[in-house]
Amino acid sequence: MSFHKLIETLNKQKISYDPERLKKVFDFAAAAHEGQLRYSGEKYIEHPLQVARILAGLGQSAEVIEAALLHDTVEDNPTITLEQIEKEFGPDVAFLVDGVTKVGKVRLRGSTDQIFVENLRKMFVAMAQDIRVVLIRLADRLHNMQTLDAIPLSKQKRIAQETLEVYAPLAERLGMGFLKGQLEDLAFAYALPKEYHWVTSLSLPHFHHAEETTKHLIRQMKQKLQENNIRALVHGRHKHKYSLYKKLLRPEINKDIKKIHDLIALRIITDNKLNCYSALGIIHTHWKPVPHIGVSDFIAQPKPNGYQSIHTKIFDKSGRIVEIQIRSEAMHQQAEFGAAAHFVYSEAKAKGLSSTELDKGKISLDLGKKMDWVKQLAAWQAEIGSNEEFVKNLKLDALSSRIYVFSPKGDVFDLPSQATPIDFAFAVHSGLGNFVQAAKVNGKIVSLNYQLSSGDVVEIIKSKNPRKPTKDWIRFAKTQKAIAKIRQLNPE
Ligand code: MN
């Protein structure tokens, strides 16, 4: 790829940049990597160029693009220092290059848990400081995965596993569905080749069949929406292979692909929020919703990573169950690009943050709740130090699969899977943990070691007087926050 292609993408995305300065950055990076080749035999500069282009595609600022071009220079060329970059291109770009270098320096996988978590912690700290550092790392990883074929076989599997265990979940937590899906599918074939082939051959005929039947359904839905003056795009989205694999392994599915109704889900993208609800009404008027599975309204109650959509399941004319996702264009941008979404910037601008503040990454603080878990993780680590159990828990907390539960008022809480009402109590407020009398889930009293599931409404029945959490609660608690508090109140 040439420098010219990067310029094309910048122009297409309407990103403002100083052409002279950008050329200077590119020449600097090209000189720094002079004579270096990638495993594929290409010149090394191809890699930073592609990373910069991925970020340009995500609408990132010129500063991020410059840092992407420079991201491997300090690490790969011993004669180049950070001071030099700062002198040539200013402290802001140097700060980003430094962050990316630090975050990427040590491998996350294949080492001991201690080192793994120490590196993970570095990443969280960097993320809490400036989300753009992590965006550059994710784009870097995406390009490395796209070119994984060229590297030695012995390294492929480790890198692919690290991608599945660390980078894809990270992209998901940042609400970047687009990156998460690509990283997972690229890594799947290398990390779990046998499983990849199994899913591919198992699903192929079913995908074909689903394509045939949804084609017709899409046409009918477009027509019904049009008749009712709803402006909307309707298309089918293919389920990513890795998420299909994980779903097939769920006990209730038991590897039976016929039980999976969203191989191709229909996506309706409207121009605004109100029309999402109108579209839902029109769909349910013409196609019967599947009873008991119900409608999930993630517009009224967004997922903690910012995801919004209405999900419903209907019967098509032949009695097949089809999943439908309804969202507005802005919600779609958020679901695909999350922390990098353009409209996040424009919204924050509307709130009065100056563009300098935005470009400096202050936006990450303004994303508020979405980034809370990042700050919490960084803070806990600093508070507690690093004993082995903490390390294990932090690893689980951060990257295990998550469930979303609700308070009776409808607030959403994001907990690790297998979390219990104890974790919920401490997540709501650390003080609430000291007043736990009993817990109700979906209106019924449950034991305190009850395992919560996504969608549960959890209510803590408070005691009149404080009740010290007992030590055996540690066995029920899954979050580091709850465990740390219980331990604090029950010193050895
Ligand atoms: Mn790189």
Side-chain angles (χ1 to χ4, degrees):
M1 189 186 105
S2 63
F3 179 61
H4 186 71
K5 280 257 190 260
L6 173 62
I7 299 290
E8 261 177 31
T9 309
L10 286 164
N11 292 337
K12 201 175 133 214
Q13 294 284 346
K14 301 194 172 66
I15 297 165
S16 60
Y17 63 97
D18 174 348
E20 225 171 279
R21 183 181 150 96
L22 193 66
K23 183 70 170 59
K24 215 178 120 196
V25 171
F26 170 72
D27 289 341
F28 183 95
H33 293 298
E34 187 59 49
Q36 296 172 1
L37 296 178
R38 302 200 84 212
Y39 280 112
S40 61
E42 296 170 305
K43 286 186 176 171
Y44 194 88
I45 188 66
E46 179 74 5
H47 166 65
L49 257 178
Q50 292 282 11
V51 174
R53 194 164 179 226
I54 290 168
L55 290 159
L58 292 169
Q60 295 302 299
S61 69
E63 212 165 65
V64 173
I65 307 301
E66 289 166 10
L69 286 172
L70 296 166
H71 83 271
D72 280 330
T73 54
V74 178
E75 207 178 340
D76 290 351
N77 186 326
T79 66
I80 288 173
T81 63
L82 206 62
E83 290 72 37
Q84 203 178 342
I85 289 186
E86 182 167 345
K87 215 176 116 224
E88 296 270 348
F89 305 114
D92 291 344
V93 168
F95 171 78
L96 290 176
V97 174
D98 186 34
V100 176
T101 310
K102 273 187 193 143
V103 164
K105 209 158 221 167
V106 205
R107 284 183 188 140
L108 286 167
R109 211 174 178 279
S111 42
T112 65
D113 276 359
Q114 293 277 353
I115 296 171
F116 174 93
V117 169
E118 177 54 23
N119 292 324
L120 203 56
R121 189 189 68 83
K122 278 187 195 151
M123 195 179 282
F124 290 138
V125 171
M127 193 150 49
Q129 277 175 357
D130 194 325
I131 187 82
R132 296 172 307 166
V133 166
V134 179
L135 289 181
I136 297 171
R137 275 302 287 170
L138 286 170
D140 174 51
R141 177 52 58 122
L142 179 60
H143 184 242
N144 284 334
M145 289 307 301
Q146 286 167 343
T147 51
L148 199 63
D149 225 18
I151 79 159
L153 224 61
S154 57
K155 288 187 173 182
Q156 284 177 350
K157 198 167 175 139
R158 181 189 59 76
I159 294 173
Q161 275 171 337
E162 186 184 83
T163 301
L164 282 184
E165 288 175 8
V166 181
Y167 289 93
L170 202 57
E172 181 177 26
R173 303 306 311 279
L174 293 172
M176 306 181 74
F178 165 80
L179 267 177
K180 177 204 169 232
Q182 287 206 43
L183 286 171
E184 279 186 349
D185 277 4
L186 285 165
F188 185 24
Y190 294 101
L192 301 160
K194 258 193 235 143
E195 292 80 351
Y196 176 82
H197 289 298
W198 171 62
V199 171
T200 306
S201 57
L202 175 71
S203 62
L204 196 67
H206 294 270
F207 269 118
H208 277 314
H209 182 68
E211 253 165 52
E212 282 311 309
T213 44
T214 44
K215 236 188 254 167
H216 185 59
L217 202 55
I218 288 173
R219 219 177 306 129
Q220 287 179 313
M221 280 188 187
K222 272 187 186 157
Q223 199 189 334
K224 294 291 175 213
L225 291 165
Q226 224 164 37
E227 282 167 15
N228 289 279
N229 297 317
I230 303 291
R231 284 179 49 188
L233 297 170
V234 184
H235 63 255
R237 82 95 184 89
H238 286 233
K239 194 172 189 65
H240 281 287
K241 273 195 189 147
Y242 185 64
S243 79
L244 174 58
Y245 167 67
K246 282 196 300 190
K247 200 161 186 175
L248 281 164
L249 295 189
R250 283 195 210 160
E252 73 271 23
I253 303 288
N254 197 19
K255 301 187 182 175
D256 182 358
I257 196 161
K258 291 202 195 74
K259 288 188 184 147
I260 292 181
H261 306 302
D262 66 340
L263 269 187
I264 299 184
L266 294 197
R267 218 170 244 172
I268 300 177
I269 300 177
T270 66
D271 47 355
N272 63 53
K273 178 166 142 185
L274 215 57
N275 278 343
C276 294
Y277 292 99
S278 305
L280 179 71
I282 292 160
I283 299 301
H284 282 183
T285 306
H286 293 94
W287 288 270
K288 288 265 172 294
V290 180
H292 308 303
I293 299 183
V295 178
S296 307
D297 184 352
F298 295 115
I299 293 180
Q301 281 154 330
K303 289 186 182 177
N305 68 1
Y307 178 86
Q308 286 188 295
S309 270
I310 301 170
H311 294 186
T312 183
K313 289 193 173 85
I314 54 132
F315 291 111
D316 73 0
K317 295 288 179 266
S318 61
R320 203 174 57 101
I321 296 174
V322 180
E323 186 179 306
I324 317 240
Q325 305 169 351
I326 308 170
R327 52 175 79 156
S328 70
E329 177 57 34
M331 294 167 196
H332 183 59
Q333 290 290 323
Q334 171 69 29
E336 293 288 280
F337 306 117
H342 301 209
F343 87 101
V344 175
Y345 277 77
S346 44
E347 250 182 17
K349 268 183 191 159
K351 277 186 206 142
L353 278 167
S354 74
S355 26
T356 354
E357 275 176 312
L358 290 175
D359 289 344
K360 284 207 176 119
K362 296 265 161 50
I363 186 72
S364 63
L365 303 176
D366 202 55
L367 285 175
K369 262 216 150 127
K370 247 173 272 171
M371 301 303 291
D372 271 3
W373 67 280
V374 174
K375 284 182 238 154
Q376 276 169 10
L377 282 170
W380 293 334
Q381 165 74 20
E383 245 169 56
I384 305 168
S386 60
N387 65 65
E388 243 167 68
E389 198 182 346
F390 172 76
V391 164
K392 210 176 86 212
N393 283 320
L394 180 63
K395 191 171 168 180
L396 290 174
D397 252 14
L399 299 172
S400 66
S401 52
R402 310 294 294 188
I403 57 166
Y404 304 112
V405 300
F406 300 94
S407 76
K409 282 186 199 150
D411 295 323
V412 188
F413 291 87
D414 169 4
L415 296 170
S417 61
Q418 299 182 336
T420 59
I422 302 284
D423 295 299
F424 175 81
F426 284 100
V428 173
H429 188 270
S430 51
L432 183 57
N434 302 330
F435 287 88
V436 178
Q437 172 92 43
K440 273 187 183 176
V441 170
N442 305 326
K444 287 192 193 112
I445 295 275
V446 297
S447 60
L448 292 178
N449 63 357
Y450 180 87
Q451 287 195 0
L452 301 172
S453 320
S454 266
D456 281 346
V457 177
V458 191
E459 185 181 351
I460 298 297
I461 299 165
K462 285 177 71 175
S463 56
K464 279 217 182 67
N465 301 309
R467 284 166 56 122
K468 196 175 96 172
T470 61
K471 213 171 163 186
D472 58 320
W473 284 11
I474 288 176
R475 286 187 292 121
F476 315 154
K478 288 285 172 296
T479 53
Q480 186 55 30
K481 188 173 182 183
I483 293 168
K485 284 287 169 199
I486 299 166
R487 191 155 284 156
Q488 204 178 45
L489 294 162
N490 291 285
E492 299 294 328

